[in-house]
Amino acid sequence: CHFARMRRGVRLLAVYIGLIWVLLGSCSTAKYPVEIRQQALTLPKLGGRAAVYVCRTSSKLSVFGMQIAADSIAVGKLFPKEYFLFIVEPGEHVFSSKSENMHRLKVKAEPGQRYYLRVEPETGMVSAQGHLSPVDPIEGGRMLESCSLAGMNEMARNLLNYIPPVRRRRGR
């Protein structure tokens, strides 16, 4: 009887530790300097290119990251209240959200234009499913105000003159 209570207590403790780990792991910190985050929102010069913002505003299914890619080149996983910035050449581009499913959306980019996409998580069989949808520019601007920059493609880094810091390995 005493051992059964102890086992139950250990299980409960393991559940609490796991829950805390998941909650803390899903918290994001600002990985970009303030100047870069501000420039990503305003983008004064696009230089004949277009900007595409992919944003996840919903906290629904927050432990599941949505893998985001442009033209089959992944940038990373998008979590709640985060966005990615893509600078693209004019023409047709395919954006995708991959989790339990793969959802694609084509964007015909025009020079100097800004496009806003929302990724909405939906309950899947095992994890979350992502769905991409276009958002009008006014709503898109509001959407970005509540989110933080989580990643960008190489063209965006070049436009913003952002050089990522070099990560050093421990023990070397």
Side-chain angles (χ1 to χ4, degrees), residues 14-160:
V15 168
Y16 283 135
I17 290 172
L19 182 62
I20 289 169
W21 179 75
V22 166
L23 291 174
L24 290 177
S26 65
C27 294
S28 64
T29 57
K31 33 197 281 199
Y32 293 95
V34 174
E35 310 82 49
I36 296 296
R37 293 191 312 244
Q38 289 171 343
Q39 287 177 31
L41 292 172
T42 57
L43 291 175
K45 299 180 268 180
L46 283 174
R49 297 179 177 142
V52 181
Y53 296 93
V54 180
C55 187
R56 180 176 174 185
T57 55
S58 173
S59 293
K60 183 175 154 186
L61 302 168
S62 63
V63 296
F64 298 105
M66 304 285 157
Q67 182 73 35
I68 305 297
D71 299 324
S72 300
I73 299 171
V75 169
K77 287 189 175 183
L78 199 56
F79 289 92
K81 305 295 180 190
E82 293 181 338
Y83 73 91
F84 288 147
L85 168 63
F86 296 91
I87 302 296
V88 296
E89 295 291 344
E92 199 168 271
H93 298 276
V94 178
F95 291 84
S96 62
S97 168
K98 181 181 177 193
S99 48
E100 187 177 273
N101 69 328
M102 171 77 86
H103 189 260
R104 293 179 181 90
L105 183 68
K106 288 182 183 178
V107 173
K108 186 170 173 27
E110 299 290 332
Q113 297 299 309
R114 289 177 172 82
Y115 301 90
Y116 302 88
L117 307 178
R118 176 182 292 141
V119 60
E120 287 290 331
E122 298 168 359
T123 306
M125 292 293 286
V126 176
S127 65
Q129 294 187 1
H131 178 76
L132 285 168
S133 60
V135 176
D136 70 78
I138 293 171
E139 185 181 345
R142 283 192 215 123
M143 185 172 68
L144 293 181
E145 289 173 3
S146 66
C147 296
S148 63
L149 179 63
M152 60 180 98
N153 67 350
E154 187 176 347
M155 288 178 86
R157 286 192 299 272
N158 292 340
L159 181 70
L160 298 174

